[in-house]
Every structure is written in structure tokens, then in C-alpha cells.
Amino acid sequence: MPENSKNSLAGQVAIVTGAGRGIGAAIARKLAELGATTVLCGRTRTPLESVAALISQSGGRAEVVECDVMDLRSVAAVASQVDRSFGRADILVNNAGVDGFAEPLHQMSPEAWEQILNTNLRGAYYSIRSFAPMMIRAQGGHIINISSLAGKNALPNGAAYAASKWGLNGLSYSVAEELRRYNIRVSVVCPGSVHTDLSPHEGKDPKKMLQPSDVAHVVAMLVTQAPQSFASEVLLRPTLKP
């Protein structure tokens, strides 16, 4: 079905991590707009409930679940809850992540390194480990990993962040090969700088930067792709350099 079809995802269940704000919120709202029941995951309940309220006001359906992607037990508990409530998981969007710290790697603390790698890379592993079995059981599904152009290009003073995103890209390509025999399509989206409240980019024009809705549009295209094909990687850049 075309991406703009109101009910193209009707009957499907979509799980979005980091759904309380920014890119994750935009993705959740877009998938709900297309008819999916959207499970909003994040560490803090209040922003998730705000997104759920907007989805409800627009006629969509959303469930709020507190989840810490750095904790396997937390993610596994969400997967069990989704299985009990819906019996299916059609779409998993691994969006939860943290930005890099602007400092040379040799000055970075081990704690900062762990926070970035555990959130951006290990979190995706935990989510795939927890939700892929439901997709395998159903013989179908979509896994979308939100990466960054920092996973394709050098990022001075952001080596840990770049490493997490390069790792996420490699994970995505490999998992795509592991799961395609089950009719599960795995894609990675690599946006450039996105304008969000939590990710200011000093010296860049916000009007020229990518918006969260741009990333959401790409995710919608991926999950409504005709069944005989999938885009394994999307590089998303602004039309005009900000």
C-alpha cells in the first residue's frame, strides 16, 4: 500500500524505543497515523503519556510502557507484556540513544563511554533479542535501527558516538542476513543533523536542518515497502547544508 494510506498498518503493532520526544515521538505518531497500535517505550513516563495523548487525539492508539534499553530484564519484560496483550510485534524501531560527548577520546571517562555504547548499541541488541522471536514465530516483521551519518563518516571529538553508530550499522546489515529467511526486513536509517530540543547543533540553521518528521517519513516508507523487497540502508541528508 502507498505510504500515505491511512490504514496501511491497520492491525499491526509497532514498538518504538525512545518515543517520548524528538525523532522517536515523530516516528510513533506517524506509525499510529498509518493505523498501527504503537507501544511507546522510554525511561520517563510523563513525556510518553504526552505523545500518547496526541496520538489519541488524532484517532490513533498508543500504549505507554516504561523501559530502560540498557537493562535486558526491562526490555524482556516489555516484550512479554506486548506478547500477552497483543500476541504480535510487527514493527520494532530502535530509536533510543544518546548523543556523543564533545571531547577527544583520550579525555573521555569510562563512564561516559559505557553510557554511549550501552544505550546506542547494546540497547538495540537487547531489543532485537527480545522482540525478534515474536517476528520469527509470525514469519514476518520489520526492524528499523535509527543510526546516524556519524556511522558513515569520521566524527572528531565524538569517537564513542561514531563507534556506537558504526557498530549499529554493522549489526543491522548482519542481522538482516540472519532474519531475512523468516521474512523479517531489517533496515538502518542514517540521518544527518536533526533539529530537536535535546540535540542543539551550534552554528547551524535549524530551518535547514533535518526535522524529526523527515526521519519518521523514511520509517513509514520502509515499513510500507512492497513485500518482495526492502531497503537495507537509507542515508538522509538536508537539501541545503545548514
Side-chain angles (χ1 to χ4, degrees):
M1 289 187 179
E3 180 270 325
N4 61 355
S5 173
K6 183 71 175 178
N7 298 311
S8 58
L9 299 180
Q12 297 192 35
V13 175
I15 299 91
V16 182
T17 67
R21 51 177 59 89
I23 294 171
I27 292 171
R29 292 180 66 181
K30 185 64 175 179
L31 296 179
E33 177 187 318
L34 295 175
T37 296
T38 308
V39 180
L40 312 178
C41 301
R43 290 184 295 179
T44 307
R45 190 171 191 87
T46 300
L48 296 172
E49 290 179 339
S50 297
V51 176
L54 292 173
I55 290 173
S56 180
Q57 290 169 11
S58 300
R61 183 181 179 188
E63 300 285 337
V64 170
V65 182
E66 291 183 53
C67 178
D68 182 355
V69 298
M70 292 192 290
D71 183 346
L72 177 57
R73 288 175 297 181
S74 177
V75 180
V78 173
S80 295
Q81 180 177 334
V82 169
D83 201 6
R84 288 193 304 270
S85 299
F86 306 108
R88 60 191 299 160
D90 302 280
I91 299 167
L92 169 63
V93 182
N94 287 312
N95 166 76
V98 294
D99 286 336
F101 296 83
E103 59 184 338
L105 185 67
H106 70 275
Q107 296 177 359
M108 174 172 280
S109 70
E111 293 78 16
W113 168 274
E114 291 293 331
Q115 181 184 359
I116 294 171
L117 270 293
N118 285 349
T119 305
N120 295 355
L121 185 54
R122 184 178 294 184
Y125 155 60
Y126 284 166
S127 295
I128 293 170
R129 186 183 190 277
S130 299
F131 285 98
M134 271 189 279
M135 296 182 179
I136 292 172
R137 185 180 70 203
Q139 293 291 294
H142 300 267
I143 297 173
I144 313 294
N145 296 325
I146 306 301
S147 184
S148 168
L149 287 181
K152 308 292 290 185
N153 305 315
L155 182 63
N157 296 325
Y161 180 77
S164 71
K165 294 303 186 179
W166 282 69
L168 183 59
N169 291 354
L171 178 149
S172 302
Y173 310 142
S174 298
V175 172
E177 293 303 311
E178 294 171 0
L179 296 181
R180 64 193 302 178
R181 61 180 169 148
Y182 302 110
N183 197 35
I184 299 169
R185 304 190 288 188
V186 181
S187 304
V188 60
V189 180
C190 299
S193 299
V194 181
H195 178 57
T196 68
D197 293 337
L198 296 180
S199 300
H201 294 270
E202 187 175 348
K204 293 189 176 183
D205 183 350
K207 295 179 181 179
K208 295 180 181 178
M209 292 173 64
L210 297 172
Q211 304 299 313
S213 58
D214 295 320
V215 184
H217 179 75
V218 170
V219 172
M221 289 192 298
L222 291 171
V223 299
T224 55
Q225 178 89 6
Q228 72 275 7
S229 63
F230 75 103
S232 62
E233 177 187 75
V234 177
L235 307 184
L236 185 63
R237 307 177 189 273
T239 303
L240 300 176
K241 287 190 176 183

